[in-house]
Amino acid sequence: MTMMDLAHHIIAVAHKNNIPVTNLQLQKVMFFSLKHAMNDNLLPREVIEKMYDRPFLVWRYGPVVEDVYNEFSVYGATPILDDYTLVNELNNEEFNHKICDLLNQNVFKLVRESHQESFWKENESQIFFGRGNARYQLDDVGKQ
């Protein structure tokens, strides 16, 4: 179970519900779905800890998992067309509903919300040319 698995699961949920998902959306939905999974007990803590194998980084448009971003950057701002299957360990009704809710929100609203996160604000000054290397610890993602 990895952060790439989370990305693939989100894309599968999006396609199953006929919701387009861009790379920028994917990054924000990954961040906020993981945050909700932790804070609302939507997934077991051990699943979340095992999955968080690559940290979010502080970037201009909010938290980004660089490997996932690079994987889907070929799509630019257009919807991701790759097909994936739902990941068993993540496939529960409440978590998938939260993913759909996030996918249906304006992506720039999610960007603005991610900029209100304390870790992002504390590290914004380290962003150069749109990217930063400040790494979110798992507990930084879950902070209220």
Side-chain angles (χ1 to χ4, degrees):
M1 177 73 70
T2 66
M3 290 298 281
M4 191 64 78
D5 291 328
L6 174 60
H8 292 171
H9 182 79
I10 290 168
I11 295 166
V13 169
H15 290 177
K16 181 180 178 200
N17 290 279
N18 297 310
I19 305 169
V21 58
T22 65
N23 198 6
L24 179 62
Q25 274 180 302
L26 178 61
Q27 295 294 326
K28 297 319 129 222
V29 173
M30 287 177 66
F31 180 80
F32 284 110
S33 65
L34 188 58
K35 181 181 194 68
H36 285 285
M38 293 172 67
N39 293 335
D40 302 335
N41 297 312
L42 301 180
L43 297 172
R45 179 72 184 199
E46 55 274 8
V47 168
I48 294 168
E49 288 175 356
K50 181 179 174 192
M51 182 172 56
Y52 197 67
D53 66 330
R54 299 272 194 279
F56 286 101
L57 302 175
V58 174
W59 283 18
R60 176 183 299 150
Y61 292 105
V64 169
V65 176
E66 190 169 20
D67 291 354
V68 175
Y69 174 84
N70 291 337
E71 176 80 16
F72 297 105
S73 64
V74 65
Y75 287 105
T78 63
I80 296 167
L81 300 177
D82 296 355
D83 277 326
Y84 297 100
T85 57
L86 299 171
V87 176
N88 286 338
E89 295 91 341
L90 305 178
N91 192 22
N92 76 58
E93 190 175 336
E94 281 185 280
F95 188 58
N96 291 347
H97 180 75
K98 178 48 71 178
I99 290 169
C100 286
D101 178 51
L102 291 164
L103 286 166
N104 283 312
Q105 292 186 41
N106 179 292
V107 69
F108 291 103
K109 175 185 177 281
L110 295 176
V111 167
R112 286 189 300 276
E113 284 182 28
S114 74
H115 289 176
Q116 298 310 306
E117 297 283 325
S118 59
F119 188 81
W120 192 90
K121 288 195 295 191
E122 291 164 8
N123 291 282
E124 179 183 11
S125 64
Q126 297 181 42
I127 299 171
F128 299 101
F129 305 108
R131 297 180 179 207
N133 289 321
R135 299 168 177 262
Y136 286 76
Q137 297 300 312
L138 187 55
D139 287 340
D140 295 321
V141 175
K143 279 188 184 169
Q144 295 287 351

